[in-house]
């Protein structure tokens, strides 16, 4: 069940999203909330706060498609772990393309626990911006 790929999609972040997210996570650096401070620091616009790319990835059309393809009920899913590898900074207004695939799937405890490892490459005009990887854990509500 690995190498399942979903069609890519492109989106961008606006300044108000970045300011709200930075406030919620307690990020105090002004490069995330003040355009002039961001430009003085060498960025074209507000810098995306850490982990914000995951928020953008959730804007994917039909974000549950992978689970449905694997026969996993969304009620069974827990967030296992997540990694971010940043290759280039992204700022407000950047058009970012997200391409996700399932890179691993395995079961434990006689199939009671299923693990889905997803990797998403984020690019801007073909340039790598980040690699996101997360593991979802699905606990079967009932074993047949």
């Amino acid at each position: 069940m690995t190498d399942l790929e979903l069609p890519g999609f492109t989106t961008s972040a606006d300044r108000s999203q970045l300011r709200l997210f930075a406030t919620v996570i307690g990020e105090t650096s002004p490069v995330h909330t003040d355009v002039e401070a961001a430009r003085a620091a060498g960025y074209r616009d507000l810098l995306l706060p850490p982990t914000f790319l995951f928020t953008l990835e959730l804007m994917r059309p039909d974000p549950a498609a992978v689970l449905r393809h694997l026969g996993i009920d969304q009620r069974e899913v827990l967030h296992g772990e997540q990694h971010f590898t940043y290759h280039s900074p992204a700022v407000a207004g950047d058009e970012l393309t997200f391409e996700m695939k399932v890179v691993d799937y395995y079961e434990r405890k006689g199939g009671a626990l299923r693990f889905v490892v997803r990797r998403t490459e984020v690019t801007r005009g073909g340039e790598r911006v980040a690699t996101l990887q997360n593991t979802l854990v699905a606990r079967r509500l009932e074993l047949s």
Side-chain angles (χ1 to χ4, degrees), residues 96-131:
L96 301 172
T97 299
F98 292 74
E99 296 182 353
M100 190 271 288
K101 68 179 182 179
V102 174
V103 295
D104 199 6
Y105 172 90
Y106 53 95
E107 298 179 349
R108 297 288 186 266
K109 304 279 184 184
L113 296 174
R114 296 173 286 168
F115 297 81
V116 180
V117 181
R118 305 181 309 173
R119 184 175 300 143
T120 301
E121 294 295 336
V122 183
T123 58
R124 175 188 46 235
E127 174 192 13
R128 291 176 74 195
V129 171
T131 304

Side-chain angles (χ1 to χ4, degrees), residues 13 15 17 27 41 44 55-56 61 63 71 73 81 86-88 94 104 112 119 131 137 142:
R15 292 174 180 163
Q17 290 174 306
E27 179 58 62
R44 290 175 283 110
T55 300
L56 289 177
D73 185 326
E81 66 177 354
Y86 297 99
H87 308 290
S88 174
D94 280 352
D104 199 6
R119 184 175 300 143
T131 304
V137 181
E142 294 181 29

